[in-house]
């Protein structure tokens, strides 16, 4: 029952705030089908009136459920709607008259040295990141220029004068290995290696809406935060120097995304207590029609997490580090990726209503070193773990 309700509620939103004992204001005078004005969303209609929540419907936002104390609504009138529309137009004119231009609209530059532990990304391969440096002379001698979308195409913008120049090298092959990011110092006379990190190119293509690019203190490394359907994700840009002049806030891009697991294991079977707020249950029943003979649908008191999909940032880790859980779709063994054997495992990590398909899959590289199961990963089983999310530009959608 719960899963069927989830599918029917794809385009409904519940706006939650403080979960203390809230009560409906005594002076409210709203009823279903009343027209209202919301301070942000504008004209709408009341769909549900409860003790703690009020349900609203807007032309652009769809159905949402708000707590009374944060609803920020007023009764509709022609004058009230005119005032709201004029204010919205005024804000739009102000935005047009004082636009934030590229690159400031897209790129955030870190001030000072932030904590980005690139060495942690070698955990699936070696005991200490310093072990990688033993092969550095060989890598530099045999490395190739990293191929990428922007390498052989005319760029849409000139490189800003204050931006550092640089390039990416790759070893031992373009498909997978090590990327060495090199920075050309401001005097244009010396080149130094800024970082090196494991790279796997064979991920899944996802269409993203770029929100902003955080450029690290080095000036040649960055993380991208982008919209994926109604979700937002942050990942490390493996080809930043090659493609940065193509990025625009709000632009739509196809990126190849891959997870490199720090750890992975068969998912533990978990059950959680489930006690829905009566208002939330009544609102869901109203919108979905999930009832028999006028009686609300009875939901379970315990939720089983079997088959659940999640991709969540890890508190106190870097922004591109995530925990994941989901069912395994495919398993492909690999040999000798930087000295390690393992599996490329496709896992459903999100389920979104505003994406191309409801199931959002991610290819995750799992070395035997970091696999914590007795047997190899199995299709159909649930898996969980932690990963570093990396990606690179495949194609802007407007080219």
């Amino acid at each position: 029952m719960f899963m069927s309700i989830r599918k029917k509620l794809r385009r409904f939103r519940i706006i939650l705030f403080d979960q203390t004992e809230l009560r409906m204001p005594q002076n409210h005078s709203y009823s279903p089908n009343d027209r209202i004005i919301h301070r942000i969303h504008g004209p709408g209609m009341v769909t549900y009136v409860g003790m703690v929540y009020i349900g609203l419907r807007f032309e652009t936002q769809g159905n949402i459920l708000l707590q009374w104390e944060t609803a920020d609504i007023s009764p509709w009138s022609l004058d009230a709607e005119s005032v709201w529309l004029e204010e919205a137009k005024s804000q739009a004119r102000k935005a047009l008259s004082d636009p934030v231009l590229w690159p400031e609209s897209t790129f955030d530059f870190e001030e000072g040295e932030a904590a980005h532990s690139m060495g942690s990304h070698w955990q699936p391969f070696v005991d200490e990141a310093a072990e990688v440096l033993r092969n550095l002379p060989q890598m530099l001698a045999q490395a190739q220029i990293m191929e990428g979308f922007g390498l052989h195409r005319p760029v849409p913008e000139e490189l800003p004068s204050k931006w550092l120049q640089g390039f990416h090298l790759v070893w031992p092959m373009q498909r997978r290995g090590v990327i060495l990011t090199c920075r050309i110092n401001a005097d244009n006379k010396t080149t130094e290696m800024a970082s090196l990190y494991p790279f796997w190119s064979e991920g899944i293509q996802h269409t993203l809406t770029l929100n902003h690019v955080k450029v690290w203190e080095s000036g040649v490394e960055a993380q991208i935060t982008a919209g994926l359907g109604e979700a937002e994700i942050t990942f490390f840009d493996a080809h930043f120097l090659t493609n940065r002049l193509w990025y625009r806030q709000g632009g739509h891009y196809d990126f190849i995304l891959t997870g490199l697991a720090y750890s992975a294991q068969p998912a533990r079977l978990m059950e959680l207590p489930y006690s829905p707020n009566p208002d939330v249950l009544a609102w869901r029943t109203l919108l979905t029609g999930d009832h028999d003979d006028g009686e609300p649908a009875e939901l379970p008191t315990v939720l089983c997490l079997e088959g659940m999909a999640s991709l969540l940032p890890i508190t106190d880790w870097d922004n591109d580090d995530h925990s994941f859980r989901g069912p395994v779709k495919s398993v492909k063994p690999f040999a000798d990726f930087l000295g390690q054997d393992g599996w490329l495992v496709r896992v459903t990590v999100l389920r979104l209503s505003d994406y191309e398909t409801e199931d959002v899959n991610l290819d995750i590289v799992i070395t035997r070193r970091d696999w914590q199961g007795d047997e190899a990963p199995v299709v159909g089983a649930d898996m969980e773990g932690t990963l570093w999310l990396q990606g690179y530009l495949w194609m802007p959608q407007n080219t």
Side-chain angles (χ1 to χ4, degrees):
M1 178 64 72
F2 179 77
M3 294 300 291
S4 66
I5 288 179
R6 180 189 63 76
K7 291 180 179 179
K8 292 181 180 180
L9 288 172
R10 291 175 189 171
R11 300 188 183 278
F12 305 152
R13 293 191 297 150
I14 305 174
I15 310 301
L16 301 177
F17 293 90
D18 185 13
Q19 294 300 305
T20 54
E21 289 294 323
L22 299 178
R23 291 294 180 264
M24 183 171 58
Q26 295 299 314
N27 61 351
H28 92 93
S29 57
Y30 298 105
S31 301
N33 299 320
D34 283 351
R35 298 178 68 184
I36 53 89
I37 295 286
H38 188 275
R39 184 177 63 85
I40 296 175
H41 303 308
M45 186 182 73
V46 176
T47 59
Y48 171 78
V49 176
M51 291 297 297
V52 179
Y53 294 93
I54 180 170
L56 304 172
R57 179 182 297 133
F58 300 96
E59 182 177 347
T60 57
Q61 298 295 319
N63 290 288
I64 64 176
L65 190 66
L66 300 174
Q67 289 185 352
W68 275 105
E69 292 192 0
T70 57
D72 206 0
I73 60 176
S74 57
W76 179 91
S77 69
L78 185 60
D79 287 342
E81 182 170 350
S82 298
V83 170
W84 184 86
L85 287 172
E86 186 57 39
E87 177 63 24
K89 291 177 182 178
S90 176
Q91 293 179 1
R93 288 193 296 268
K94 182 179 179 181
L96 289 173
S97 64
D98 186 23
V100 178
L101 301 178
W102 188 92
E104 288 80 5
S105 62
T106 302
F107 298 88
D108 298 327
F109 287 81
E110 290 184 343
E111 296 181 0
E113 188 172 350
H116 299 294
S117 179
M118 293 294 280
S120 65
H121 303 144
W122 291 102
Q123 177 180 318
F125 306 97
V126 293
D127 292 329
E128 298 290 339
E131 296 180 33
V132 181
L133 299 179
R134 297 173 185 171
N135 295 324
L136 186 56
Q138 178 186 3
M139 293 181 193
L140 291 172
Q142 300 175 354
Q144 314 165 40
I145 292 292
M146 181 78 241
E147 295 291 336
F149 172 82
L151 192 62
H152 303 296
R153 292 172 172 85
V155 294
E157 299 286 350
E158 292 186 4
L159 186 73
S161 59
K162 294 184 179 180
W163 285 19
L164 290 175
Q165 298 187 48
F167 53 91
H168 300 296
L169 301 175
V170 62
W171 175 92
M173 65 182 73
Q174 295 282 340
R175 290 193 304 113
R176 64 193 196 198
V178 179
I179 288 184
L180 304 96
T181 296
C182 299
R183 173 176 56 201
I184 302 174
N185 291 325
D187 58 11
N188 289 327
K189 294 180 180 179
T190 59
T191 300
E192 62 180 346
M193 189 181 69
S195 65
L196 71 165
Y197 45 88
F199 170 70
W200 184 286
S201 68
E202 302 166 74
I204 299 179
Q205 181 176 327
H206 293 279
T207 300
L208 308 178
T209 302
L210 195 146
N211 294 336
H212 67 268
V213 181
K214 179 196 286 186
V215 183
W216 293 0
E217 186 270 341
S218 68
V220 294
E221 301 158 288
Q223 293 163 326
I224 292 177
T225 298
L228 176 66
E230 64 263 39
E232 184 178 75
I233 60 171
T234 297
F235 59 94
F236 180 79
D237 184 5
H239 290 182
F240 172 65
L241 292 174
T242 304
N243 300 317
R244 56 185 171 174
L245 297 180
W246 291 87
Y247 298 153
R248 298 290 181 281
Q249 183 185 52
H252 302 295
Y253 302 86
D254 289 338
F255 278 87
I256 304 296
L257 298 180
T258 308
L260 270 65
Y262 298 117
S263 64
Q265 63 186 21
R268 295 161 291 177
L269 185 61
M270 297 175 60
E271 292 185 342
L272 299 176
Y274 179 67
S275 180
N277 182 284
D279 281 354
V280 175
L281 180 57
W283 177 71
R284 286 177 170 175
T285 301
L286 174 70
L287 294 181
T288 63
D290 249 347
H291 56 82
D292 297 314
D293 300 327
E295 294 296 324
E298 182 178 352
L299 294 184
T301 58
V302 175
L303 293 182
C304 178
L305 299 188
E306 183 178 2
M308 184 190 78
S310 66
L311 183 69
L312 301 172
I314 303 176
T315 304
D316 297 330
W317 291 24
D318 210 340
N319 293 335
D320 48 22
D321 292 326
H322 300 75
S323 64
F324 72 92
R325 181 187 176 107
V328 174
K329 293 296 187 68
S330 66
V331 178
K332 180 181 178 182
F334 64 78
D336 193 19
F337 175 35
L338 300 178
Q340 292 290 325
D341 298 342
W343 307 270
L344 182 65
V345 182
R346 183 161 295 183
V347 180
T348 299
V349 295
L350 291 171
R351 293 189 176 95
L352 304 175
S353 61
D354 291 341
Y355 196 56
E356 297 171 357
T357 60
E358 180 179 317
D359 286 357
V360 178
N361 300 318
L362 181 67
D363 280 355
I364 303 174
V365 177
I366 302 173
T367 64
R368 291 184 180 273
R369 175 187 177 87
D370 281 333
W371 174 243
Q372 299 172 18
D374 295 331
E375 304 292 338
V378 177
V379 173
D382 285 355
M383 178 184 292
E384 64 184 0
T386 57
L387 60 80
W388 176 45
L389 187 60
Q390 63 172 225
Y392 64 93
L393 178 65
W394 183 250
M395 181 80 68
Q397 285 212 332
N398 58 354
T399 58

